[in-house]
């Protein structure tokens, strides 16, 4: 069963009942001001950094599950009945509930006793604020006298401190109320020069800013005292928990509709101009007032919403496909691309599963995410690449993550994840192929953000490459360090202390345990680097890179092959991991996918063998499992991977991130049927009909689907922020549909199911729109092509002559 439906025309998912199995969320904001919003208006907002500049409070892992939000209460002033149009927090029996999650906005509403109330939430482009536009309609035959109460609970900025340091925080909260606008200014009197504000378009009947006055002692958000009695208390917060709530009275004739606009925003003042008058303790509001005034006007809201829609039309218009599979179409054309932008903005920081406190922007995460968004926001991708590279260390290693606000490497997790540096090469190669912007390689970039340490970005890539070669183990394979892509395979950790972090604990020297996965990644990255070096004219380096790749390939074949599949690793005692010799964890997905992607074993049938083993041992109807058999107990020498109960997360869960590696590998062997079959098994839209089992949003990928060893087999978790988004997008657009950017031009190399009669793709590449029509004449993958009516050899569309901005391509597959 499902909880809603896709409205593909509007690019919305429409949820038709509020009690989804889990909160189904969406993102607001595309630049600096962001929010998450659930289908019942739960969620929170922040400026740039979900940890350091959190505007509103959210209670993770609460009961009910999703709590803290952008709640509006309605009240009938004659009957005294009140309700929340978004269902939460009052959970009344509302009718015609719907939540439309769209591109950068959500519209949540319902009808209660003939009052329709619907709120549009979005962040205007270029602004650090969000708009809530409430539209109320009297659908009955009698005039109605209503009250509207808004509500937000302010977070005292640092979300970590806010949820732990109560002895201080209960005494620091401060607000100002000025002409109906509520300003949250905790710590503004000392070192902060930023504040939040919450404004309303209508004349107020009252307001509240102290939580426990608004709610009343011992009450929750489902029954605020102010709402129940129908009148605000005009409270002013001094310490405790500052909130913002406006009270507006509305009288509606039958059929009448009114809009009420609320604006919640973030503003910074120059340090020298914080107060007005200078020397006072009052916020200087001169520069913020015009912005507030602007967005309290309906016309400005309409215009901003139009621009937002146009922005997404443009981004999504850059790659549009029409295939025989509606689930693929929907993901490619709308939701998967949209999710890639969410991972661009958030990396792994803020979702319903990521608390916004712990993880900042991941080095390997964001470099891989590039694959999914570089074609949509190339300029911002450029900035991201340079920011990431600036956190690289002189050794070539990398901080595992950095804070988006400061752009500094985050020491909480540190470095020594030995795959991290190689992903920079993969990401930069993708950037270059997409944009042709070779100038990026000549940008001086520091190490560890230290001024004076700069070298060209190109040199950073060389250090990434050497980092691996400087760290080879006894079999000539790369040492794994703290961990590789699977940050739960902790071969140097040996932790027997409860609560100790698997991510940061290293109890062994790390000179023995090796990763076949990194070896595969190295071969791929070294070959990418050779291509880059070739185009820079660095011939001797080309040889170095290619030789090292070839040597590593030989090593993998000699030391990393288990007979029917690639080994996963050698542990600290030199024992095999991911081998038929193991009792558990005999075969892992990662080296199969990645070694084949790197071209290892293509020549001698081992690639085929490895992928057939995956099909036999790891593939399930819900997707491909990470490893089998699951670890049934904790293994000191393997670390976190064995800490999860069988079937969950990295212990034999279906980790959706690496499924596309196998899809891509299958396309390299020409197997479009299998590649697309794997694609469809984890496609969230295709799983919509089993929402009761899948439980997560049907419009975005989740990091994990529980594997067959789990009691809840097929249940998804950790939706939204996962490398799954970029890799699936890459797999379907570039490998299966096979339209891919290269240094020479756009290549058309589809490897699609034999049953497909054809498909079309319209794709903008370096300013030129390519309309590509593929039709099938035979079962194979060979391509015959005409470009603007002229037949060309091979499958490369070279760049058209200057001035030409659209090209028509006809392709026959046989
Ligand atoms: C999770 C990983 C995650 C890691 C980093 C682990 O517990 O299983 O998926 O990447 O923590 O925090
Ligand atoms: C999630 C992390 O964000 C990612 O970096 C890692 O590769 C996967 N977990 C697999 O362990």
């Amino acid at each position: 069963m499902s909880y809603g439906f896709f409205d593909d025309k509007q690019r919305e998912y429409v949820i038709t009942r509020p009690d989804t199995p889990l909160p189904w969320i969406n993102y607001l904001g595309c630049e600096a001001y962001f929010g998450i919003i659930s289908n019942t208006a739960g969620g929170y907002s922040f400026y740039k950094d979900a940890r350091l500049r959190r505007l509103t409070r959210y209670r993770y892992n609460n009961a009910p599950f999703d709590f803290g939000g952008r709640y509006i209460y309605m009240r009938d002033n004659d009957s005294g009945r009140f309700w929340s149009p978004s269902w939460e927090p009052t959970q009344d029996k509302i009718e015609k509930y719907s939540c439309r999650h769209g591109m950068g906005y959500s519209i949540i509403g319902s009808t209660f006793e003939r009052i329709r109330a619907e709120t549009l939430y979005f962040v205007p482009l270029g602004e650090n604020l969000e708009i809530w536009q409430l539209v109320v309609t009297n659908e009955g035959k009698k005039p109605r006298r209503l009250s509207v109460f808004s509500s937000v609970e302010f977070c005292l900025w640092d979300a970590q401190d806010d949820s732990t340091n109560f002895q201080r925080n209960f005494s620091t909260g401060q607000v100002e109320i000025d002409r109906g606008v509520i300003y949250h200014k905790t710590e503004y009197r000392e070192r902060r020069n930023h504040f939040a504000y919450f404004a309303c378009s209508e004349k107020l009947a009252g307001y509240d800013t102290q939580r426990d006055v608004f709610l009343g002692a011992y009450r929750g958000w489902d029954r605020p005292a102010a709402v129940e009695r129908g009148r605000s208390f005009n409270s002013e917060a001094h310490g405790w928990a500052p909130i913002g709530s406006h009270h507006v009275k509305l009288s509606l004739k039958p059929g009448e509709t009114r809009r009420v606009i609320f604006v919640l925003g973030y503003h910074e003042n120059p340090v020298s101009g914080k107060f007005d008058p200078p020397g006072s303790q009052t916020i200087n509001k001169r520069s913020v007032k015009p912005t507030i005034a602007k967005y309290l006007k309906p016309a400005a809201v309409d215009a901003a919403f139009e621009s937002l829609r146009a922005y997404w039309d443009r981004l999504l218009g850059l790659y549009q496909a029409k295939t025989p599979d509606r689930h693929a179409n929907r993901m490619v054309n709308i939701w998967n691309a949209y999710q890639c932008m969410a991972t661009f903005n958030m990396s792994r920081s803020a979702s319903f599963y990521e608390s916004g406190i712990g993880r900042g922007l991941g080095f390997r995460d964001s470099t891989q995410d590039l694959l999914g968004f570089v074609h949509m926001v190339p300029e911002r991708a450029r900035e991201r690449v340079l920011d990431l590279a600036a956190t690289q260390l002189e050794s070539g290693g990398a901080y595992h993550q950095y804070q988006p606000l400061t752009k500094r490497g985050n020491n909480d997790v540190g470095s020594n994840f030995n795959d991290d540096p190689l992903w920079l090469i993969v990401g930069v190669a993708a950037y270059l192929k997409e944009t042709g912007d070779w100038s990026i390689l000549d940008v001086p970039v520091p190490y560890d953000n230290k001024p004076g340490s700069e070298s060209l970005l190109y040199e950073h890539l060389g250090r990434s490459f050497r980092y691996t070669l400087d760290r080879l183990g006894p079999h000539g394979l790369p040492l794994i360090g703290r961990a590789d892509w699977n940050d739960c395979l902790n071969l140097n950790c040996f932790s027997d202390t409860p609560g100790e972090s698997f991510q940061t604990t290293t109890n062994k020297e790390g000179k023995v345990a090796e990763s076949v996965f990194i070896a595969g990644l190295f071969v791929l990255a070294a070959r990418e680097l050779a291509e880059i070096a070739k185009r820079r004219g660095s011939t001797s380096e080309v040889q170095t890179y290619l030789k090292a790749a070839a040597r590593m390939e030989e090593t993998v074949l000699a030391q990393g092959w288990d007979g029917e599949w690639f080994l996963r690793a050698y542990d600290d005692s030199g024992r095999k991991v991911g081998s038929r010799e193991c009792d558990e964890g005999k075969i892992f997905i990662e080296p199969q996918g990645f070694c084949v992607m790197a071209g290892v074993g293509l020549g001698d049938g081992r690639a085929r063998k490895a992928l057939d083993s995956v099909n036999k041992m790891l593939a399930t109807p819900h997707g491909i499992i990470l490893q089998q058999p699951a670890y049934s107990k904790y293994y000191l020498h393997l670390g976190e991977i064995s800490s999860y109960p069988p079937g969950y997360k990295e212990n034999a869960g279906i980790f959706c991130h690496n499924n596309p590696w196998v899809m891509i590998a299958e396309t390299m062997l020409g197997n479009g049927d299998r590649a697309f079959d794997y694609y469809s098994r984890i496609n969230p839209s295709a799983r919509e009909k089993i929402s009761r089992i899948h439980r997560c949003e049907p419009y975005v990928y989740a990091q994990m689907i529980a594997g067959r060893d789990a009691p809840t087999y097929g249940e998804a978790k950790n939706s939204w922020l996962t490398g799954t988004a970029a890799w699936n997008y890459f797999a379907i657009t570039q490998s299966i549909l096979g339209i891919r950017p290269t240094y020479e031009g756009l290549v058309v190399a589809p490897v699609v199911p034999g049953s497909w009669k054809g498909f079309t793709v319209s794709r903008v590449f370096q300013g030129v729109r390519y309309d590509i029509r593929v039709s099938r004449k035979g079962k194979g993958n060979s391509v015959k092509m005409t470009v603007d009516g002229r037949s060309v050899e091979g499958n490369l569309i070279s760049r058209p002559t200057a001035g030409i901005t659209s090209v028509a391509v006809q392709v026959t597959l046989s």
Side-chain angles (χ1 to χ4, degrees):
M1 77 163 273
S2 53
Y3 293 80
F5 59 92
F6 285 91
D7 182 343
D8 293 336
K9 259 225 172 83
Q10 293 296 324
R11 296 183 170 140
E12 291 172 341
Y13 189 80
V14 187
I15 301 165
T16 49
R17 45 188 289 185
D19 56 341
T20 47
L22 291 161
W24 285 3
I25 72 158
N26 191 16
Y27 284 90
L28 308 177
C30 346
E31 293 152 328
Y33 183 101
F34 297 106
I36 71 173
I37 183 161
S38 75
N39 56 306
T40 56
Y44 59 96
S45 301
F46 58 94
Y47 172 72
K48 284 195 182 168
D49 193 311
R51 169 169 173 183
L52 300 175
R53 288 284 190 283
R54 180 110 33 129
L55 264 81
T56 59
R57 205 172 261 167
Y58 187 71
R59 291 187 171 71
Y60 274 96
N61 199 7
N62 196 55
F65 220 164
D66 171 41
F67 217 79
R70 302 172 181 84
Y71 300 129
I72 285 177
Y73 301 86
M74 302 290 304
R75 182 176 187 276
D76 183 313
N77 289 340
D78 292 313
S79 69
R81 297 197 54 170
F82 63 92
W83 73 100
S84 317
S86 61
W87 192 57
E88 289 284 28
T90 63
Q91 295 195 3
D92 283 285
K93 276 218 172 69
I94 47 176
E95 293 164 1
K96 298 192 196 136
Y97 160 88
S98 73
C99 165
R100 295 183 158 264
H101 281 322
M103 305 288 105
Y105 66 90
S106 293
I107 305 171
I108 307 175
S110 62
T111 305
F112 186 79
E113 293 178 351
R114 298 185 164 247
I115 297 296
R116 177 86 197 153
E118 208 165 65
T119 312
L120 160 68
Y121 299 93
F122 74 101
V123 176
L125 294 170
E127 301 289 1
N128 295 322
L129 58 87
E130 66 189 64
I131 287 173
W132 312 2
Q133 176 181 265
L134 169 70
V135 178
V136 188
T137 305
N138 178 359
E139 294 183 340
K141 296 210 162 68
K142 286 185 298 196
R144 301 283 289 271
R145 298 191 311 137
L146 303 169
S147 278
V148 176
F149 292 86
S150 63
S151 71
V152 292
E153 184 173 357
F154 292 111
C155 178
L156 309 190
W157 303 114
D158 179 333
Q160 163 110 324
D161 188 73
D162 182 68
S163 53
T164 45
N165 193 9
F166 305 110
Q167 60 80 26
R168 168 180 161 87
N169 295 341
F170 282 164
S171 293
T172 55
Q174 287 194 308
V175 296
E176 273 177 39
I177 302 120
D178 180 9
R179 278 164 245 218
V181 182
I182 295 164
Y183 295 87
H184 173 229
K185 60 173 217 179
T186 300
E187 293 188 348
Y188 190 78
R189 60 193 304 284
E190 29 130 342
R191 291 155 299 172
R192 295 188 185 275
N193 62 331
H194 45 265
F195 56 89
Y197 56 87
F198 191 31
C200 173
S201 60
E202 306 305 296
K203 190 171 156 275
L204 299 191
Y207 60 84
D208 273 299
T209 66
Q210 182 64 284
R211 185 184 65 199
D212 293 347
V213 176
F214 175 71
L215 297 181
Y218 295 99
R219 286 167 174 247
W221 291 88
D222 57 333
R223 211 162 48 93
V227 179
E228 190 178 82
R229 76 171 193 164
R231 197 154 38 89
S232 297
F233 294 92
N234 297 345
S235 58
E236 192 172 329
H238 301 285
W240 297 113
I243 62 158
S245 172
H246 309 97
H247 176 199
V248 171
K249 287 190 175 165
L250 295 180
S251 291
L252 290 187
K253 295 196 220 57
E256 191 181 350
T257 294
R258 291 275 294 277
R259 313 200 208 186
V260 182
I261 299 162
F262 299 97
V263 177
L264 172 67
Y266 169 91
H267 193 74
E268 283 175 7
N269 271 335
V271 177
S272 56
K274 277 171 64 170
F275 301 106
D276 184 21
S280 75
Q281 289 287 296
T282 311
I283 299 175
N284 179 350
K285 308 182 183 78
R286 287 169 204 268
S287 58
V288 76
K289 277 189 171 170
T291 311
I292 298 177
K294 174 175 173 188
Y295 287 104
L296 291 178
K297 297 207 183 74
V301 172
D302 291 345
F305 189 58
E306 274 313 302
S307 315
L308 183 68
R309 297 210 62 146
Y311 169 84
W312 282 105
D313 284 347
R314 192 185 68 75
L315 287 195
L316 300 181
L318 297 169
Y319 194 118
Q320 289 287 304
K322 232 185 248 156
T323 80
D325 186 87
R326 74 192 151 100
H327 302 296
N329 295 347
R330 178 178 282 160
M331 292 313 286
V332 169
N333 298 339
I334 308 170
W335 290 100
N336 193 359
Y338 181 62
Q339 186 178 1
C340 287
M341 288 304 294
T343 61
F344 165 59
N345 289 322
M346 302 287 133
S347 193
R348 308 293 172 269
S349 68
S351 72
F352 181 68
Y353 306 84
E354 301 280 9
S355 66
I357 290 174
R359 300 228 275 148
L361 270 79
F363 190 90
R364 76 154 86 90
D365 296 330
S366 290
T367 34
Q368 288 172 78
D369 292 347
L370 269 167
L371 301 172
F373 64 72
V374 60
H375 70 293
M376 290 187 275
V377 283
E379 302 80 20
R380 299 175 74 195
R382 184 178 211 268
E383 184 187 347
R384 177 62 51 83
V385 167
L386 297 173
D387 287 348
L388 283 160
T391 66
Q392 190 173 23
L393 304 166
E394 301 211 31
S395 65
Y399 282 104
H400 198 48
Q401 57 199 32
Y402 75 92
Q403 274 324 112
L405 190 71
T406 60
K407 297 190 173 178
R408 294 295 150 110
N410 175 332
N411 248 331
D412 294 353
V413 179
S415 66
N416 292 334
F417 291 80
N418 281 355
D419 64 318
D420 266 333
L422 293 171
W423 294 110
L424 184 64
I425 301 176
V426 176
V428 169
Y431 173 81
L432 293 172
K433 287 177 196 163
E434 180 66 44
T435 62
D437 168 26
W438 289 86
S439 73
I440 194 174
L441 294 176
D442 294 314
V443 177
V445 181
Y447 294 93
D448 196 4
N449 279 295
K450 284 203 192 82
S453 68
E454 290 81 1
S455 75
L456 302 187
L457 176 64
Y458 178 66
E459 173 57 24
H460 279 252
L461 303 185
R463 291 212 192 174
S464 289
F465 164 84
R466 281 192 296 278
Y467 180 87
T468 305
L469 292 185
D470 290 346
R471 288 165 183 74
L472 297 180
H475 298 88
L477 292 163
L479 291 171
I480 197 167
R482 259 197 230 293
D484 62 19
W485 173 87
N486 185 342
D487 46 22
C488 301
L489 188 61
N490 312 122
L491 302 181
N492 294 304
C493 179
F494 295 87
S495 174
D496 55 10
T497 307
E500 199 166 53
S501 162
F502 289 107
Q503 302 287 312
T504 55
T505 306
T506 305
N507 289 318
K508 289 284 165 130
E509 243 200 302
K511 296 261 160 59
V512 179
E514 300 164 292
S515 161
V516 177
F517 168 78
I518 300 183
L521 174 60
F522 177 82
V523 175
L524 185 134
R527 288 185 174 143
E528 291 283 10
L529 193 52
E531 292 293 310
I532 294 171
K534 188 163 102 194
R535 285 169 181 82
R536 274 176 77 88
S538 316
T539 331
S540 67
E541 286 168 15
V542 175
Q543 286 320 311
T544 310
Y545 299 144
L546 288 180
K547 265 202 211 123
R551 199 172 320 123
M552 188 64 80
E553 180 169 11
E554 278 167 32
T555 309
V556 171
L557 291 171
Q559 310 288 343
W561 179 253
D562 195 54
E564 298 288 322
W565 56 80
F566 293 101
L567 277 179
R568 178 64 177 87
Y570 287 96
D571 70 17
D572 182 62
S573 321
R575 280 171 299 179
K576 293 173 180 170
V577 179
S579 158
R580 65 199 148 150
E581 291 167 21
C582 306
D583 296 332
E584 302 185 321
K586 288 175 190 291
I587 174 171
F588 280 67
I589 188 174
E590 306 99 312
Q592 322 313 327
F594 234 87
C595 288
V596 178
M597 279 167 71
V600 183
L602 281 186
D604 63 4
R606 287 195 244 192
R608 183 67 276 156
K609 243 192 196 161
L611 296 184
D612 286 344
S613 299
V614 167
N615 190 257
K616 205 161 85 206
M617 300 172 70
L618 299 177
T620 78
H622 291 291
I624 311 170
I625 295 184
L626 193 145
Q627 106 279 16
Q628 284 282 278
Y631 294 114
S632 60
K633 51 180 189 275
Y634 178 57
Y635 291 92
L636 191 66
H637 67 291
L638 298 179
E640 182 168 1
I641 189 167
S642 61
S643 74
Y644 286 111
Y648 292 106
K649 296 277 281 181
E650 282 86 346
N651 186 12
I654 292 153
F655 221 82
C656 299
H657 184 143
N658 50 35
N659 278 228
W661 299 345
V662 176
M663 298 169 205
I664 297 165
E666 285 290 356
T667 63
M668 291 176 64
L669 297 181
N671 200 345
D673 281 314
R674 214 185 244 180
F676 192 73
D677 178 18
Y678 288 151
Y679 174 78
S680 299
R681 293 185 199 195
I682 60 167
N683 182 330
S685 163
R687 296 172 63 79
E688 186 197 22
K689 54 182 185 302
I690 56 162
S691 283
R692 228 188 245 269
I693 296 169
H694 184 79
R695 301 186 81 223
C696 275
E697 296 93 328
Y699 42 90
V700 289
Y701 286 97
Q703 179 200 58
M704 184 210 65
I705 297 173
R708 68 174 157 229
D709 300 284
T712 60
Y713 182 31
E715 177 195 43
K717 266 184 213 147
N718 292 15
S719 54
W720 281 100
L721 302 185
T722 158
T724 310
W727 276 109
N728 273 282
Y729 189 79
F730 185 90
I732 183 75
T733 58
Q734 299 203 22
S735 297
I736 298 176
L737 301 181
I739 314 294
R740 53 177 173 266
T742 68
Y743 298 118
E744 278 69 45
L746 206 56
V747 156
V748 184
V751 186
V752 295
S755 61
W756 282 18
K757 298 222 158 57
F759 65 93
T760 61
V761 166
S762 178
R763 208 261 198 218
V764 175
F765 176 54
Q766 299 183 0
V768 178
R769 180 169 289 282
Y770 295 87
D771 286 298
I772 304 165
R773 178 170 295 280
V774 180
S775 33
R776 230 200 217 303
K777 292 276 146 61
K779 289 268 170 208
N781 303 314
S782 51
V783 163
K784 276 224 170 74
M785 190 161 80
T786 67
V787 177
D788 278 337
R790 258 167 296 140
S791 75
V792 298
E793 284 286 310
N795 62 3
L796 173 75
I797 318 172
S798 357
R799 223 152 265 134
T801 36
I804 293 182
T805 53
S806 91
V807 172
V809 186
Q810 294 276 357
V811 178
T812 341
L813 277 187
S814 57

